[in-house]
Structures are given as C-alpha cells and as structure tokens.
Amino acid sequence: MSTPDTSIEKKETLNFIEQIVKDDLAAGKNGGRLQTRFPPEPNGYLHIGHAKAIAMDFGVAERFGGVCYLRMDDTNPQKEDHEYVEAIERDIEWLGYHWSKVLYASDYFQDLWDFAVALIKQGRAYVDEQTSEQIAAQKGTPTRPGTESPFRNRPVEESLRLFEEMNSGHVEPGRMVLRAKIDMASDNMHFRDPILYRVLNMPHIRTGNKWNAYPMYDFTHGQCDYLEGVTHSICTLEFVPHRPLYDLFVDWMKETRGEDLADHRPRQFEFNKLNLNYTLMSKRNLLILTKEGVVSGWDDPRMPTICGIRRRGYSPESIRKFIDKIGYTTFDALNDVKLLESAVRADLNERATRVSAVLDPVRLVITNYPEGQVEELEVQNNPERPEEGTHTIEFSRNLWIERADFKEEADKKFFRMTPGKETRLKGAYIVDCTGCKKNEQTGEIEEVYCTYDPTSKAGTEGANRKVKGTIHWLSVDHCLPAEVRNYQCLWTCENPRDAIKQYEEEHGVRGIDAMRPFLNPDSICINRNAFVEKFLLTRQPLDYLQFTRTGYYNVDPDSTPEHLVFNSTVSLKEDKGK
RNA sequence: UGGGUCAUGGUGUAAUGGUAACACUACAGGUUUUGGUUCUGUCAUUCUGGGUUCGAAUCCCGGUGACCCAACCA
C-alpha cells in the first residue's frame, strides 16, 4: 500500500522554547551543543499528553540538529516495571520519533550516592530519624515557616554512618531519610530541607538488590541532566517551583566535582501540559479505570493512552498534526477535543480506504433486476487519491441499505430514499423507490422496493444526471457479518478532573466512586448486526478505513476472518439536515 | 492573609512598541456519485482601571480571576 505524503509541513513561527534554543545556539551557549531528553517514569502507559512532551523534546532536537535521549526516570522501584519500559519504547517509535540512546536514571545511582556522601561531609545534608508525620508537621505551611528538625545539626560522622545503614537493608522503610540542609523558612516549600533519599528495601528493575535506599526525583533529575550533558531540560509547568532546587543541586554537584565550566550546565524550561476537554489524563486515574474494569485495559480505544488511541484508529501523523496546532505556551489551556478530531479527519481523509458497511440494515429489493444475476462493480479505494486504485464489489437484486436511508414519508430536507423519488446507489445504478412492506403489528419497515434504470450504470453516460441523494449498499448474498464497536467520549462532563475532585470533596468518596457519576454509559456501543463488503477480508489489523457516509473505522487487532471486528475512530462531519 | 506562573473571539495559537492574524468550532451559501472532501462568506475595540509614548495586546503601577507549590510520587 502506498503511503500518502503527510510529512509535517514546516512551521513559519517558532514557539517560545524553540526561540530560546535558537538564540542559545546562535550565542554559542553550551559550546554550540543542543541536547534534550524525554524522561518518562516507567510506571504506566504513555498518553497523548506525553505525546506533546515527546514532540517537544525530540522535535526541537530534530529541528535544530541536536540529540535527544530517552531516559527512564526509574527512581521509585515500588511502581516501575519492564512492561512499561517496553510499552514506552513501542509508543515513541509508533509516533515516529527516534532516540539516539536509551538511558536510565538508575545508571547514575552510584554517582548520586557519592554526591550525597559528599554533601553530608560538607554539612549540607543530614539523616533525619523523625517519622514522616513529624517531618510534615515541621514543614510549616505556605504562609507559615517551618521549624528545624532536632537532627539537623547532628555530627557529620553520625549522618554518614546512618546513611550507610539506610542502604544496608536492615533499616525499616520510614525509619530515617536523608535531607538537604537548606532553609526551613523559605517561601519555596521545596527548599524546606527536601528529602534526598528514602529507604525502600525493594528490588529495582535494573539494579536488582544492589540498593535499598533510593534518591528522590529532585535529587536525581538535574544531576542526571548534568552528567549526561543535557543542555535544555524541557518539562511541564508544574515543575516551575522545582527549578531553583534543580539549579542549586546542579551548582552543588559542579562545585563538589570541581567542574566549574560555565557552559557545562543544563537549564530547565517549562511549557503548558496538554489538557483536553471530555478527557481524563492523569495516570493515577487511568490506572483506576483499568483496575476497576471500566475499560478493557490500557489499550481500550476509549483511553487517551497512545496505545488506546492507536487501537482506536488514529494515525501518528494526525496526533503530530494536532500537537502542532495547539502549540506550546505557558498558559493553562483546556483544549477542545474537536481540534483533535479535525486533525484525524484531515489525515484519514487522505489515507483511509473507502469501503461499504451497513450498520443498521434493512432489505432493498430491486424488483426489475433479474433474480440470480450478479455484477462485479469497480469502486475507488479513495477518491482523494485515485492512484490508490479500485476494488470490486458485487451487486445483485437483494441489497442491504441503512434503515435511516429510507423514509416512507419525507420532508424536503430529506434527500435519501423515499417513494416516488430517484436515488443513486453509490457506484451502481440510479433507482426509483416504489414502496415498502411494513410489519402489520409494529409498523416496522421490513423491506423496501425499487426499480432500477439499467442505462444508469456508474461510469456510463446514462449515470450523468443530477440525483440529489446517494446512498451506500451491500449485496445480501455477497457481504459478511461484522462486529462494529462504536465509541464516544468516556466522560459526560467537559472537565472530568475537576468534576471528580469536587465530587470527592462533597461526598467524601474517592477513586472509582467519585468517577462513576461522570462516566458516559454509551461510551461503547457494540453492534453485532452489521454487514461489510468481502473486500475487508484483505485488510490487516489497524488498517485505516472509511465506512462510506458513516465515519472512519479501523480493523481491531482481535479481528479474524471468521469474526471481523472494527472500531469507530471518529464519525464523518455531519451537516445538520441529517 | 506566603511564594511562583498566567490572562488575545466559543476553543487554542500568532502578532518580538506601528493596520489584531491563523486554525478549529458554529452559522449562511456554491460545487460534489459520500449530507464527506473542497470553495466562499459571517463571528474580538486583546480581563479591568490608571500611567508612559506620536503610537500599547506588547512597557510600568493598582485591581480582578485562574493555575501550581505544604508526597519518604515523578
């Protein structure tokens, strides 16, 4: 199959981070080097919000001739797993980005340990033996300064000895932590003697049983950036208050290691993270949805995860296009999913193979078409791209059409099939509707009748007359049954995150119980009465399709020739008359 | 009532002291063998009050509103 040219068109304006990078490069900062990193924690699946960060981290490096490493931020073995490492790599590749190296924060555990020991010796860190409750109580509040720990000024040797013990495996988690000695009265809460190391006594996915005490995020990230040679450490806005601490630890590390090259220093920049209306993004909440069975898994097509979106039928190009459109700023935006849908429609319009599928069938009999006659008609795979060729579809006397495409009595806004009016059967003939048969009890329409104009075959001269309505169809004896899963938003409210939080506060419940009131009961609708054309047997899992006049669909990975399964990606845009 | 960040149409982004632009949505219409696509048109005195300036979305001051920070998470 040929691939449409969907390469991202070059943007004319730079976002504020690209501008900084460009200026830094022009000024010869960092010795003219550009290095970024994408640092996910392997504790869950990537979602579309990560795609925005990926597009920034890899994108800026690509654009300005730098490098971008993938660095797993694996400092908390309680939550991390190989499963996630593999999924993260798979998803980044699917999005079309390439890392020059995969690194792990745990690669630097020894450096961080040595650095921590040095800080203790310098009197800049101490082991605190208070409980977490005591430490929290002493932290103060944003409006009230904290108080100093009674262990703050303990002898260096004592801290050194206890720090070693923390890593021995014989100290109970929670018994003691290593803290930096900074300022318990700082306006920045992160400066109130932050915790550097905690005891977990737990094997790590990479380092096994080597370590029992593990470094915290703030004591890891900047130093890893520094040791790796990252020049621009780009992250989201919630890390703005961490930046002074990031800089402080980098300074301390430079000083301790005696490396005072002014150029050799990473700097942190922050952009707004992706918020989408009718979408819940946080990993914690997505985990609840999978655990509670609200969705079938991380790759449920309703999930905002990369794997969910992929299974739903989105193309990587459409996601990149969307991210390109929403841009990067420092404004806390709530983006409209309609922009994402428009991006996927634009992309799929270019690449999706057009096929016929009847989702709610009613029988149409062409009374003047000979019984037993079958014609093989040629239909275009994609009218937007004639070079994609054609495929054949059988036509006969008995067809399936959509129930909604026939009305016994129609107003003038309805221009599909109705008695006494001509309708075009797409790619076949023009027909004249003659009537229908109804169930005597229920009044339900059981069959629709029409006659065809044999001179109006598609592609011939006789087809060239104006017919207002065109409908799709399938030959009853030549189509296949299929399961079609139709999806809608998982949430009924624009901002589920806030709605859930508010519900938690008002009703004193948490987790799934606070989510249930906002879940859309119609988010999945499984249709087992659908029919599709035989041509679909040739399609592969995840292939992009358009069910003509209905929407974009793709082949679910569970689909087999014996049991065809399709997922709705997004509907076609609809004009109101319908 | 502390600190940090932010504010441009319904949504998001641009305009780097000089005519407020673009995309999406919505609405109206043309084309069309998909009520799709495509094409045309319509929709803002830039949160507010003052100041600086020949000139302010942009710079300064005061309001107002929103978000982030008090995890041994990242």
Side-chain angles (χ1 to χ4, degrees):
Chain A
M1 197 191 309
S2 68
T3 348
D5 178 20
T6 48
S7 58
I8 310 295
E9 53 277 18
K10 285 274 172 286
K11 290 179 296 176
E12 57 302 318
T13 55
L14 301 178
N15 65 53
F16 75 104
I17 289 179
E18 291 169 329
Q19 190 62 54
I20 290 168
V21 167
K22 188 183 172 195
D23 293 345
D24 285 351
L25 255 20
K29 276 194 193 171
N30 311 298
R33 284 190 322 110
L34 170 63
Q35 186 174 328
T36 60
R37 96 277 89 108
F38 174 64
E41 183 186 12
N43 69 343
Y45 285 73
L46 260 27
H47 55 60
I48 189 164
H50 293 107
K52 179 171 177 177
I54 289 168
M56 167 59 81
D57 293 329
F58 287 95
V60 78
E62 246 170 48
R63 181 163 189 164
F64 293 98
V67 295
C68 179
Y69 293 151
L70 170 60
R71 186 174 75 224
M72 300 291 170
D73 221 338
D74 56 346
T75 58
N76 186 356
Q78 296 173 102
K79 303 204 238 170
E80 293 147 9
D81 199 89
H82 287 294
E83 175 198 355
Y84 301 124
V85 171
E86 286 157 22
I88 287 167
E89 294 184 0
R90 196 185 315 133
D91 290 346
I92 296 172
E93 283 182 322
W94 179 75
L95 283 170
Y97 292 100
H98 310 284
W99 51 86
S100 35
K101 234 190 251 183
V102 184
L103 299 165
Y104 291 78
S106 54
D107 296 341
Y108 306 96
F109 278 175
Q110 189 63 53
D111 297 284
L112 293 168
W113 178 268
D114 294 343
F115 180 45
V117 168
L119 291 185
I120 297 171
K121 288 180 179 163
Q122 291 163 17
R124 280 167 163 162
Y126 61 96
V127 170
D128 195 334
E129 292 178 76
Q130 299 182 101
T131 64
S132 66
E133 292 74 25
Q134 286 171 314
I135 291 174
Q138 286 166 2
K139 195 144 194 183
T141 68
T143 53
R144 256 208 338 268
T147 51
E148 296 185 351
S149 163
F151 296 99
R152 197 173 202 255
N153 294 309
R154 77 190 321 168
V156 165
E157 293 68 31
E158 216 172 277
S159 281
L160 244 21
R161 181 175 53 77
L162 290 171
F163 189 42
E164 288 292 343
E165 259 179 52
M166 278 173 59
N167 199 36
S168 69
H170 301 304
V171 172
E172 208 181 303
R175 270 289 293 118
M176 52 184 89
V177 291
L178 184 73
R179 299 178 74 182
K181 198 184 291 183
I182 308 180
D183 178 7
M184 290 306 291
S186 174
D187 285 333
N188 186 336
M189 298 298 289
H190 299 286
F191 272 49
R192 324 253 259 226
D193 286 13
I195 290 168
L196 270 25
Y197 267 86
R198 79 292 214 188
V199 176
L200 292 176
N201 293 343
M202 182 170 268
H204 182 281
I205 54 166
R206 301 271 302 171
T207 61
N209 293 312
K210 182 169 180 198
W211 302 94
N212 291 293
Y214 292 91
M216 300 284 289
Y217 166 85
D218 278 316
F219 194 65
T220 305
H221 208 93
Q223 292 97 296
C224 290
D225 285 344
Y226 172 74
L227 293 168
E228 244 163 65
V230 167
T231 57
H232 300 257
S233 185
I234 307 166
C235 60
T236 46
L237 244 23
E238 68 266 28
F239 290 98
V240 169
H242 294 249
R243 195 197 317 144
L245 196 56
Y246 176 103
D247 288 335
L248 180 70
F249 287 147
V250 168
D251 283 343
W252 281 2
M253 184 172 245
K254 284 175 69 158
E255 188 191 317
T256 335
R257 295 166 68 101
E259 298 163 335
D260 236 351
L261 305 162
D263 267 356
H264 187 53
R265 123 181 296 299
R267 283 176 302 146
Q268 177 181 301
F269 301 92
E270 311 87 6
F271 64 85
N272 61 344
K273 74 166 166 231
L274 175 64
N275 291 305
L276 269 185
N277 61 6
Y278 299 101
T279 308
L280 190 62
M281 210 72 88
S282 85
K283 257 192 223 174
R284 178 187 149 256
N285 285 323
L286 296 182
L287 182 64
I288 293 172
L289 293 177
T290 60
K291 287 233 163 100
E292 297 288 336
V294 172
V295 294
S296 62
W298 288 99
D299 69 343
D300 186 292
R302 293 165 291 175
M303 291 283 270
T305 48
I306 304 294
C307 52
I309 288 171
R310 173 168 61 226
R311 187 168 181 180
R312 178 76 175 260
Y314 277 71
S315 60
E317 290 80 4
S318 66
I319 294 170
R320 293 174 69 153
K321 223 173 260 183
F322 166 69
I323 287 165
D324 193 49
K325 280 183 183 177
I326 59 173
Y328 297 85
T329 66
T330 54
F331 173 67
D332 183 26
L334 180 60
N335 291 277
D336 198 332
V337 273
K338 287 194 167 140
L339 190 59
L340 176 61
E341 292 177 350
S342 116
V344 71
R345 283 193 188 104
D347 187 55
L348 261 25
N349 182 50
E350 295 286 317
R351 64 169 67 218
T353 305
R354 269 60 170 179
V355 296
S356 192
V358 177
L359 303 184
D360 183 16
V362 68
R363 187 184 287 253
L364 174 71
V365 181
I366 306 168
T367 51
N368 64 338
Y369 194 88
E371 299 230 28
Q373 180 173 313
V374 181
E375 282 182 80
E376 291 222 329
L377 303 175
E378 203 164 297
V379 291
Q380 273 188 308
N381 287 330
N382 185 347
E384 302 294 318
R385 303 176 61 79
E387 66 272 26
E388 298 261 308
T390 60
H391 67 271
T392 58
I393 182 170
E394 292 90 346
F395 183 81
S396 70
R397 177 184 166 95
N398 293 305
L399 306 178
W400 294 122
I401 62 168
E402 297 287 354
R403 190 164 285 279
D405 282 343
F406 171 78
K407 257 190 191 173
E408 198 181 7
E409 283 168 43
D411 55 27
K412 47 187 176 303
K413 285 265 193 173
F414 184 83
F415 45 89
R416 283 164 271 169
M417 184 170 278
T418 192
K421 231 183 77 178
E422 273 197 333
T423 309
R424 193 188 296 274
L425 297 179
K426 190 168 167 56
Y429 293 93
I430 296 170
V431 297
D432 225 326
C433 183
T434 52
C436 64
K437 183 174 100 185
K438 286 192 285 189
N439 181 297
E440 284 174 16
Q441 264 93 56
T442 63
E444 192 191 41
I445 288 158
E446 293 179 327
E447 275 184 355
V448 181
Y449 305 109
C450 69
T451 56
Y452 86 119
D453 172 3
T455 69
S456 68
K457 187 169 179 174
T460 68
E461 197 62 30
N464 296 337
R465 68 168 178 270
K466 198 139 189 158
V467 176
K468 188 65 177 164
T470 302
I471 65 172
H472 63 280
W473 49 271
L474 283 168
S475 172
V476 169
D477 293 331
H478 304 90
C479 66
L480 300 166
E483 174 176 330
V484 177
R485 301 172 181 166
N486 285 291
Y487 299 102
Q488 286 174 27
C489 285
L490 243 188
W491 304 95
T492 52
C493 53
E494 264 219 276
N495 190 337
R497 186 193 60 182
D498 288 357
I500 291 164
K501 202 198 284 175
Q502 195 184 338
Y503 194 90
E504 283 179 340
E505 281 161 13
E506 283 173 9
H507 300 263
V509 295
R510 294 193 54 75
I512 188 65
D513 294 321
M515 298 162 109
R516 285 230 154 81
F518 308 106
L519 282 167
N520 178 4
D522 302 320
S523 62
I524 181 168
C525 182
I526 297 181
N527 176 359
R528 296 191 174 87
N529 303 315
F531 292 107
V532 296
E533 55 178 293
K534 277 184 178 167
F535 171 68
L536 252 10
L537 284 174
T538 65
R539 302 294 92 181
Q540 300 300 309
L542 299 184
D543 273 1
Y544 305 112
L545 305 171
Q546 184 195 101
F547 287 179
T548 305
R549 299 208 311 128
T550 305
Y552 293 101
Y553 288 78
N554 81 340
V555 184
D556 190 84
D558 287 348
S559 186
T560 63
E562 295 72 35
H563 182 76
L564 296 167
V565 181
F566 302 94
N567 296 313
S568 71
T569 307
V570 66
S571 69
L572 250 30
K573 231 176 111 178
E574 277 184 29
D575 208 344
K576 17 99 234 265
K578 209 171 176 178

